[in-house]
């Protein structure tokens, strides 16, 4: 670790050896001595609802667009803004969580965020005003962005670096599986014409759907309350006794041995390690300065070309993935309401023509109205649409995980393999984007839409894997944070632009996405080589 300042560090515990034969060790060795097993698995299961809350808050809105159109007075553009606002909340406030964590504790932040988000989710199910609903979704993004991004880092502090790679891969699979669940719940709830009175309030199917989905943050609040503080955090705030007690419990559960057999008897304590002795303002300022410095370093030679390459591919991948996965349910609800009897041309209609609300079956009785554009159409909800969305989500999770396994295997040419997979995936997404409008029948259109979702999810995972291989270790965390932010910005811009173009000319929306993915396809032929670390200082907190 290199910094621009010298730190005078004193160790309270003396006579430490390189190993722990005398029962003395630092916190990293002590955590390693606890092993990996049942405790870590149970901890992951308890933390899953915390991570799932962020995915639910950015996904569930997409499944109520058709059902809530009249209640919230939704246009195409309003729908895009509504879907994008949770991502906007995440982007604007994600950095705040990183600076609060050392002083409050990750578990405490989980509890606070999930408590507030649970209230917002329950209240949003009763809202009729579009702008109030929009504000609630923005606040949900603010509250869940931090916990969602911190879960894996929190869990990784309970095991040694030996298990970091495999744990991150399997934990990532468990977290990403959350995108399947909202679609499955929608398949069960949304097609029904439900009217239930709750506290003198009429709850229709989409409100009940949101109420059911709000059980995830509530469950996360319960499980987060049972989570322990990490051993490293307990050491940082000057509670080595509690840290030792937690380590012994981890050892007992993982090794199935008595606590008194734990080989570590004493933890090394750094005298000036307690965060409470330091100025919060000064520490936060220092972290911001280090983050800005390393970001500036990434945009200088020799890193800039590689960073630009990775971020452009990430932008294209996440724009395609988060736009299509959030719009497919609603678009295909509209396609399913197409009035076939009205179509009198000697060819199959294009998607552009099928999305025209004048060609919808529910609009048949209102076509002669002078203010037709202001009339709200009640769409017929087909359960098969949400069933297909569930299958698409499952396929995206499965194949992106599979691609991650292939590209992280121990092969000499794994970067070449990653390049081949990326090129193939982008090629499929480009063909699908350009071909959706002329696919003749909705099943073919759905297949092409699913191909975009699956392939862009795969390329997004590969970009993250390549980042690990080509960026030097001291800069990887900064580069990864940048990729995450770029992905969220892509989701925001994608939903804004796609919805605006659907209101004006939907063909341009699909062609524009195809052009962006085509640029990614061309760029993916030039896979970057690993960048060697320069002599320039890399600052770390």
């Amino acid at each position: 670790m290199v910094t621009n300042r010298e730190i005078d560090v004193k160790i309270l515990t003396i006579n430490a050896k390189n190993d722990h034969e005398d029962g003395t060790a630092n916190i990293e060795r002590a955590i390693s001595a606890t092993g990996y097993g049942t405790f870590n698995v149970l901890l992951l299961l308890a933390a899953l609802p915390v991570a799932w809350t962020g995915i639910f808050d950015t996904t569930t809105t997409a499944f109520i667009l058709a059902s809530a159109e009249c209640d919230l007075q939704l246009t195409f553009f309003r729908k895009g803004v509504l879907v994008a606002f949770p991502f906007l909340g995440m982007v604007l406030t994600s950095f705040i969580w990183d600076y609060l964590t050392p002083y409050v504790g990750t578990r405490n932040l989980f509890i606070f965020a999930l408590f507030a988000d649970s209230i917002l989710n329950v209240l949003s199910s009763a809202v009729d005003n579009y702008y109030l609903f929009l504000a609630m979704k923005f606040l949900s993004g603010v509250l869940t962005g931090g916990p969602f991004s911190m879960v894996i880092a929190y869990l990784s502090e309970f095991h040694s670096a030996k298990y970091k790679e495999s744990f991150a891969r399997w934990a990532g699979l468990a977290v990403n599986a959350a995108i399947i669940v909202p679609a499955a719940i929608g398949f069960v709830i949304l097609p029904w014409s439900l009217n239930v009175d709750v506290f003198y309030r009429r709850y229709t199917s989409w409100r009940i759907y949101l109420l059911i989905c709000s059980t995830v943050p509530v469950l996360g609040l319960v499980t987060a309350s049972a989570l322990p503080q990490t051993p490293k955090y307990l050491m940082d705030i000057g509670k080595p006794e509690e840290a030792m007690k937690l380590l012994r419990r981890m050892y007992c559960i993982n090794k199935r041995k008595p606590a008194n057999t734990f080989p570590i008897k004493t933890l090394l304590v750094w005298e000036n390690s307690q965060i409470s002795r330091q100025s919060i303002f000064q520490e936060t300022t220092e972290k911001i300065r280090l983050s800005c410095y390393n970001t500036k370093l990434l945009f200088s030679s020799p890193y800039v070309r590689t960073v630009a390459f990775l971020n452009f591919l990430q932008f294209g991948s996440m724009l395609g993935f988060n736009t299509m996965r959030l719009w497919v349910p609603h678009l295909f609800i509209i396609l399913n309401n197409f009035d076939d009897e009205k179509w009198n041309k000697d060819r199959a209609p294009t998607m552009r023509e099928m999305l025209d609300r004048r060609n919808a079956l529910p609009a048949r009785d209102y076509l002669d109205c002078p203010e037709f554009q202001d009339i709200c159409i009640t769409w017929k909800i087909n359960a098969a649409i949400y069933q297909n969305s569930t299958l698409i989500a499952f396929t995206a999770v499965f194949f992106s995980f599979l691609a991650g396994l292939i590209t992280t295997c121990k092969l000499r040419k794994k970067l070449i393999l990653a390049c081949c997979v990326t090129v193939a995936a982008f090629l499929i997404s480009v063909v699908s984007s350009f071909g959706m409008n002329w696919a003749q029948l909705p099943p073919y259109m759905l297949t092409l839409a699913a191909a975009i979702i699956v392939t862009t999810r795969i390329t997004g995972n590969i970009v993250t894997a390549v980042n690990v291989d080509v960026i030097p270790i001291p800069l990887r965390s900064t580069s990864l944070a940048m990729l995450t932010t770029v992905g969220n910005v892509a989701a925001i811009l994608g939903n804004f632009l796609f919805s605006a173009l659907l209101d004006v000319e939907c063909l341009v929306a699909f062609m524009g996405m195809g052009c962006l993915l085509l640029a990614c396809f061309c760029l993916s032929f030039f896979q970057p080589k690993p960048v060697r670390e320069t002599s320039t200082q890399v600052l770390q907190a």
Side-chain angles (χ1 to χ4, degrees):
M1 179 176 70
V2 182
T3 63
N4 63 339
R5 53 183 182 149
E6 296 294 332
I7 299 176
D8 182 22
V9 178
K10 298 179 181 180
I11 302 178
L12 296 183
T13 303
I14 58 175
N15 297 327
K17 299 182 179 180
N18 291 331
D19 53 34
H20 48 76
E21 291 178 357
D22 63 344
T24 301
N26 59 23
I27 187 64
E28 286 78 13
R29 284 182 175 272
I31 292 173
S32 179
T34 64
Y36 186 91
T38 305
F39 179 89
N40 303 88
V41 174
L42 293 176
L43 198 68
L44 172 60
L45 293 177
L48 272 184
V50 179
W52 279 27
T53 297
I55 296 178
F56 266 63
D57 283 348
T58 57
T59 303
T60 52
T61 308
F63 292 95
I64 66 167
L65 296 178
S67 304
E69 183 166 326
C70 293
D71 291 338
L72 298 177
Q73 300 176 347
L74 300 176
T75 62
F76 269 134
F77 184 67
R78 280 189 165 195
K79 294 169 186 175
V81 173
L82 191 59
V83 169
F85 251 51
F87 292 101
L88 183 62
M90 288 182 175
V91 168
L92 293 179
T93 59
S94 59
F95 69 95
I96 296 176
W97 296 94
D98 293 332
Y99 302 128
L100 289 177
T101 302
Y103 313 108
V104 181
T106 305
R107 188 199 66 173
N108 295 338
L109 287 178
F110 287 169
I111 294 172
F112 164 75
L114 292 172
F115 176 74
D117 189 63
S118 299
I119 295 174
L120 283 175
N121 275 272
V122 173
L123 292 178
S124 67
S125 66
V127 168
D128 281 329
N129 183 274
Y130 169 76
Y131 293 102
L132 181 57
F133 192 85
L134 191 67
M136 288 183 172
K137 298 309 293 184
F138 175 81
L139 290 175
S140 290
V142 170
L143 291 167
T144 59
F148 174 71
S149 63
M150 294 188 299
V151 165
I152 300 299
Y154 165 81
L155 294 173
S156 66
E157 293 194 13
F158 287 89
H159 55 260
S160 64
K162 174 183 177 182
Y163 304 100
K164 182 177 180 180
E165 183 176 344
S166 60
F167 174 81
R169 183 163 55 245
W170 289 101
L173 173 64
V175 171
N176 288 328
I179 69 171
I180 303 171
V181 184
I185 298 175
F187 168 71
V188 175
I189 300 297
L190 291 174
W192 294 90
S193 298
L194 300 174
N195 282 283
V196 180
D197 289 332
V198 180
F199 296 112
Y200 306 103
R201 183 77 181 177
R202 184 176 62 89
Y203 270 68
T204 54
S205 57
W206 72 269
R207 297 183 189 277
I208 295 173
Y209 171 78
L210 289 182
L211 205 57
I212 292 174
C213 290
S214 68
T215 58
V216 174
V218 173
L219 178 61
L221 175 62
V222 174
T223 57
S225 301
L227 293 175
Q229 297 284 13
T230 68
K232 291 182 181 179
Y233 176 74
L234 292 174
M235 292 293 292
D236 286 341
I237 62 175
K239 295 183 178 180
E241 297 83 6
E242 291 189 23
M244 179 62 75
K245 188 183 299 183
L246 174 60
L247 292 168
R248 287 177 181 144
R249 180 152 57 99
M250 293 166 58
Y251 175 80
C252 289
I253 297 175
N254 285 337
K255 301 287 189 177
R256 293 183 174 84
K257 294 180 180 179
N260 57 11
T261 62
F262 186 48
I264 309 301
K265 307 302 180 183
T266 308
L267 292 174
L268 293 173
V269 181
W270 303 89
E271 185 179 14
N272 64 341
S273 67
Q274 294 185 28
I275 295 176
S276 57
R277 297 183 182 181
Q278 301 174 356
S279 167
I280 294 180
F281 176 77
Q282 290 178 348
E283 283 296 306
T284 301
T285 303
E286 181 70 5
K287 285 187 177 182
I288 293 174
R289 190 182 73 82
L290 298 183
S291 178
C292 292
Y293 179 88
N294 288 341
T295 301
K296 179 182 177 181
L297 189 60
L298 283 172
F299 282 100
S300 62
S301 181
Y303 307 105
V304 62
R305 292 182 62 182
T306 301
V307 169
F309 170 88
L310 293 173
N311 280 276
F312 187 82
L313 292 190
Q314 177 78 346
F315 182 86
S317 299
M318 291 299 98
L319 186 144
F321 174 69
N322 283 310
T323 301
M324 289 309 300
R325 81 176 177 94
L326 296 173
W327 274 94
V328 158
H330 183 54
L331 292 181
F332 282 87
I333 287 291
I334 299 176
L335 296 181
N336 190 68
N337 281 265
F338 179 68
D339 191 353
D340 293 301
E341 296 180 6
K342 183 185 174 184
W343 187 256
N344 53 17
K345 297 183 180 180
D346 57 354
R347 61 173 176 81
T350 63
M351 177 176 281
R352 172 190 178 187
E353 292 160 335
M354 295 180 75
L355 290 177
D356 187 345
R357 58 201 307 268
R358 288 186 173 275
N359 295 327
L361 185 61
R364 180 185 292 180
D365 298 332
Y366 307 102
L367 292 176
D368 296 330
C369 295
E371 298 180 354
F372 173 77
Q373 293 299 328
D374 297 328
I375 295 175
C376 179
I377 295 177
T378 302
W379 303 106
K380 179 183 177 183
I381 308 298
N382 189 339
I385 301 299
Y386 299 116
Q387 182 182 31
N388 293 333
S389 296
T390 306
L391 294 175
I392 291 172
F394 175 82
T395 305
V397 171
F398 175 76
F399 280 103
S400 61
F401 175 73
L402 187 61
L405 283 179
I406 294 173
T407 54
T408 54
C409 60
K410 294 182 179 180
L411 296 174
R412 289 184 178 180
K413 305 295 182 181
K414 65 178 179 179
L415 278 179
I416 297 177
L417 180 61
C419 177
C420 294
V421 175
T422 306
V423 169
F426 272 126
L427 177 61
I428 294 172
S429 64
V430 169
V431 173
S432 301
S433 297
F434 286 135
M436 275 187 67
N437 187 62
W438 298 279
Q440 301 294 320
L441 295 173
Y444 300 146
M445 296 175 183
L446 182 64
T447 301
L448 294 177
I452 297 173
I453 295 171
V454 173
T455 53
T456 51
R457 177 70 268 182
I458 289 173
T459 54
N461 277 17
I462 293 176
V463 168
T464 303
V466 171
N467 176 77
V468 174
D469 288 328
V470 300
I471 300 296
I473 292 176
L475 292 171
R476 281 179 191 170
S477 60
T478 304
S479 179
L480 184 60
M482 191 185 303
L483 288 176
T484 302
T485 301
V486 167
N488 287 333
V489 170
I492 296 167
L493 293 178
N495 282 287
F496 278 172
L497 295 175
F498 190 79
S499 60
L501 292 173
L502 284 178
D503 258 338
V504 178
E505 178 54 75
C506 68
L507 179 59
V508 179
F510 293 105
M511 298 299 288
M513 183 181 299
C515 290
L516 176 62
L517 294 174
L518 179 60
C520 292
F521 167 71
C522 296
L523 186 62
S524 61
F525 283 98
F526 306 97
Q527 203 77 9
K529 296 180 180 179
V531 182
R532 292 184 179 180
E533 186 178 347
T534 65
S535 58
T536 306
Q537 284 188 334
V538 178
L539 303 185
Q540 294 181 343

